Each structure stands twice: as C-alpha cells, then as structure tokens.
Amino acid sequence: MKTLGPIPDGYVGIDGVLAVDGVPVTDLVERVGGTPLFVYSSELLKNRVGQLRAAMPQRLALHYAIKANSFSPILKLMSQLVDGFDIASGGELDMAGKAGVNSAMISFAGPGKQDWELESALSAGVTLNVESEAEVSRAMAIADRSGQTPRLAIRVNPDFDLKGSGMKMGGGAKPFGIDAERVPALARNILESDAEWRGFHIFAGSQALDAEAIAETQKQTLQLAARLAEEADVPVPHCNLGGGFGIPYFPGDEPLEIGLIGKRLALQFESLPPSLSDTQFCIELGRYLVGEAGVYLARVVDRKESHGHTFLVTDGGLHHQLAASGNFGTVVRRNYPAAIATRFAAPVEEEASIVGCLCTPLDRLADNAGFPRADVGDLIAIFCAGAYGASASPAAFLGQGPAKEILV
Ligand SMILES: *Cc1c(COP(=O)(O)O)cnc(C)c1O
C-alpha cells in the first residue's frame, strides 16, 4: 500500500462529510449542479495571507502570481488581500482586468511577450519585467508610437538557483530574464531613456520546503540587486525578490517554516547597503497562497476489480488535475493528499486506486492507497488543488471540458 500526502490543516468533517468553510461538500456540489468541482476556501486563503503577513517584515509587500489560479472570484478576493499581482500573459491581463484588479498593481513577466501584449500592458500602466534587450527595444518603440511612458523593470537571470526547489528558474543558461552581467548596461540605458525605471525582478525557483534555502536565496538576491545597482549606478525603486515558497504535497513533506524566513529577512533589511536603502521590496507567491485552500471533488461512477486491484473510477481526472496525476513537472509519481469526501470520518478499510474517466493509464489521481470502502455515488477529494489545477490542466482533452469552480 502506498501512502497519501498530508491533508492540509483546516479541513474537517461534518457528520462524516468533508466540509469547506463549514459547508459540507455535498451541499456545495448540489449548489453548483454537479461534479467535477473545484472548491476554494476564502477562510483558508485569508488565514494564509494573515499568517504570512505576521511572519514577514512589514516592509515586504506581497504579490500574487495569478498563473497558480486565475478564477475570477479568487482574483477579486486576492485584490483585497495582497499588494500586487504578477501576470505572465496578455490573457492573464484580461482576466485581472475583468476581475477589477487595479492595473497599477500589476507587473508582467514572462518570455516571448508579443507586441499586442506589450501594447495592452503599456496602455494599462502595467510594469513590464523585461526579459531581453530586444523586448526593451520593442516596448520602447510601441510606447513611442502611442505616446506612453513605459514602466520597465529588468528581470535578472541570477547566477544562483534556489536549492531544493521543485522547479529551478535561475542559474546558468535560461530563457528567463537577462544574464546578470548584461544587466548594468541595460539598466543604465533604461534610466537614461524616457521610460520609467522600476528596478529589478529576480526569481530563482519554485516549490521549496527548506526555509534555510529560501532565506539564503533571498540574501543572495539582495546582494545581487545591490551589486547590479552599484555597477550601473542606478537607484532601485522596486525589487521583486522572487518567491519559491512551497507547500507539502507528498508523504513526508513538512510545511515551510515561514517564521525563520521572516526573521532572516528582517535581519537583512536592518543592514541594507545604501544602494537599496529606499527600495520597496516584494515577494511573489502562487501556490503558497492558494494551493492548500482548494479541493477537487469528483464522483465515483464505477467500482472495478482487476487482477486483485480495486479501481474507483470517477467523473474527474488529469484533465483538471494534471499535477496530482504526476504529469506536471514531477519525475516520480507520488500521491497527493486524497480522501473519500463522503466518508471523511471512516477508518481505512481497503486498498484502492482513484482514477479518472480518460482512456489513458496516466489518468490516476491516487495510486494503491488506503481508503474507507467507497461505492458508486461517493465523492472523492484531492487536496492541494487550489494551485495549478484548473489553470494548468488540459481541460479540452478528450472533449471533457473544464470543471466547475466555486469560492466559498
Ligand atoms: C510561476 C511563477 C511564480 C509562482 O510560483 P509558485 O511556485 O506558484 O509560487 C512566481 N513568479 C514567477 C516569475 C513565476 O514564473
């Protein structure tokens, strides 16, 4: 039998049924008219932001990277909770706009920005985290034609990476950012141009659970920003220190010690070099803010035996939960936290695999794990579904279409 990942804190059962913000999920499924369904908890989201604010130095602003979850009600709620939004496409700019996000709060990073994306970002007053010298030239030309002042920060490809991160985004040859040694010359050019110079964006990796490693990366990031500012002799109005805060998905994963990160960062802030003494700092987080606040629900439509194995076949699958199926950037497939939502208080009675309704062996949501005995009609829950679920899964695959979503 394989183990399951740890169910995040804050989920309880009411009369044996998993509840979100005090509402049994059976009621929520009825409210939206069926499964598959993503349920997001506003209580857990607010708590998470509150805990993070309490742990981090006051000087540090908090940004939300909307690629983790761009469901409009989430964006609306987050716009009341965070100080900024990070987008990575013109499509995300539209989504943020539709949710009523103030575009002055938005910065736009990401390689391969097309002219129409630069155009709409510039006219909305969004800060561009530029990813190449050529992108700066295109942005300047577009701004020139439309009589706008571009707000430009440089995304730096740092010469280090975040140790132990699930996805490395810095160190060595990368399509992201501009190599550190070329940054001073470009920063100088931007400062001397008609653009508004906004500073640096330095992102070194994602999904780290080691607080020491994150603290060390933040220290290196501050050192790099100071070095670049001094070499270029430019001020640093803003500096985005990246993110990388991970959440426990798998058996044995421990929650990140944010207290340690906050204390170390406060120490760093107390002894900043003159080049950074007036800088506004932020971090940008996706999954840490929303990941554990989401649950994916699917209904068991068949229960089958094959060669001594039990399969709970559901109406959901990898088309909504690519990451939980192990097919989104993982090397070895391990189980996410999962449960039978309609038998939440029941003891483990059998070993079963939860699979989706797609005809591919990749479509497995929980592999050979212990569950109470579930039958057709029961609801299964996959936790840690608030980030990179709906926004990062191939919903159109096999003509299935997107899942329903609700923010409670
Ligand atoms: C993806 C991404 C994020 C968010 O990553 P999480 O692991 O969800 O926190 C933040 N910043 C940049 C530049 C990214 O590409």
Side-chain angles (χ1 to χ4, degrees):
M1 182 142 48
K2 294 181 184 163
T3 40
L4 293 162
I7 294 179
D9 286 343
Y11 291 97
V12 295
I14 295 180
D15 297 334
V17 176
L18 171 67
V20 175
D21 290 8
V23 188
V25 293
T26 41
D27 291 4
L28 295 170
V29 167
E30 207 169 305
R31 199 186 291 177
V32 302
T35 47
L37 169 66
F38 284 96
V39 178
Y40 309 117
S41 157
S42 47
E43 202 173 295
L44 292 181
L45 274 175
K46 288 179 197 164
N47 289 349
R48 177 50 60 100
V49 174
Q51 287 156 0
L52 197 60
R53 295 263 194 208
M56 294 297 137
Q58 271 207 328
R59 179 171 179 172
L60 185 72
L62 182 58
H63 286 197
Y64 173 50
I66 83 170
K67 77 172 190 280
N69 187 326
S70 46
F71 184 47
S72 189
I74 295 240
L75 298 184
K76 282 189 187 128
L77 175 61
M78 289 304 250
S79 66
Q80 296 159 20
L81 301 176
V82 301
D83 309 302
F85 282 74
D86 292 305
I87 59 166
S89 73
E92 286 189 346
L93 179 58
D94 282 349
M95 293 185 218
K98 289 198 179 103
V101 173
N102 171 5
S103 49
M105 292 173 82
I106 300 177
S107 49
F108 181 0
K113 297 184 192 78
Q114 299 166 58
D115 284 355
W116 71 267
E117 294 177 297
L118 293 173
E119 251 170 66
S120 44
L122 288 172
S123 57
V126 163
T127 295
L128 294 176
N129 294 330
V130 296
E131 305 262 353
S132 74
E133 287 91 345
E135 189 180 299
V136 174
S137 306
R138 280 196 293 133
M140 295 287 225
I142 290 168
D144 207 33
R145 279 203 300 275
S146 53
Q148 267 139 357
T149 304
R151 313 175 87 189
L152 304 182
I154 295 180
R155 177 162 179 190
V156 181
N157 175 23
D159 31 25
F160 50 83
D161 59 34
L162 172 54
K163 301 277 175 305
S165 68
M167 214 170 282
K168 292 189 189 351
M169 306 277 282
K174 289 280 160 1
F176 312 109
I178 297 170
D179 293 352
E181 58 270 21
R182 294 212 309 274
V183 168
L186 184 63
R188 194 70 226 157
N189 283 346
I190 294 175
L191 188 80
E192 286 167 0
S193 75
D194 296 329
E196 180 185 336
W197 166 241
R198 300 278 287 170
F200 298 122
H201 171 215
I202 306 174
F203 182 85
S206 257
Q207 179 53 20
L209 290 172
D210 179 349
E212 289 280 353
I214 290 179
E216 180 58 27
T217 294
Q218 290 180 334
K219 183 176 160 189
Q220 288 177 298
T221 302
L222 288 166
Q223 285 168 346
L224 176 59
R227 197 182 84 213
L228 296 173
E230 284 152 27
E231 255 179 68
D233 193 21
V234 296
V236 186
H238 292 263
C239 183
N240 181 330
L241 301 174
F245 291 38
I247 59 172
Y249 288 106
F250 302 119
D253 283 356
E254 295 284 344
L256 186 63
E257 258 185 86
I258 53 168
L260 185 147
I261 299 171
K263 283 196 195 103
R264 293 284 179 82
L265 194 56
L267 282 177
Q268 294 291 324
F269 283 177
E270 278 167 26
S271 56
L272 287 171
S275 54
L276 299 179
S277 58
D278 296 325
T279 302
Q280 162 77 68
F281 295 100
C282 72
I283 51 171
E284 50 172 353
L285 305 178
R287 76 188 77 215
Y288 190 78
L289 298 180
V290 296
E292 289 166 287
V295 186
Y296 177 70
L297 300 169
R299 196 175 289 282
V300 177
V301 290
D302 202 358
R303 184 190 156 93
K304 304 176 56 167
E305 307 290 331
S306 170
H307 293 284
H309 255 75
T310 299
F311 291 94
L312 302 171
V313 186
T314 68
D315 61 2
L318 75 72
H319 52 300
H320 305 140
Q321 276 293 289
L322 192 63
S325 77
N327 295 293
F328 188 59
T330 23
V331 181
V332 181
R333 194 203 171 285
R334 288 176 293 169
N335 282 326
Y336 267 42
I340 309 299
T342 36
R343 300 170 193 265
F344 200 56
V348 169
E349 291 163 330
E350 66 175 8
E351 185 176 331
S353 291
I354 298 174
V355 299
C357 54
L358 305 186
C359 48
T360 157
L362 301 178
D363 193 8
R364 189 166 291 217
L365 299 176
D367 186 32
N368 281 304
F371 295 106
R373 192 195 146 92
D375 256 311
V376 171
D378 271 311
L379 296 174
I380 64 94
I382 307 291
F383 297 88
C384 295
Y388 307 111
S391 72
S393 301
F397 191 30
L398 279 156
Q400 290 288 339
K404 299 176 199 305
E405 294 176 275
I406 185 173
L407 174 65
V408 188

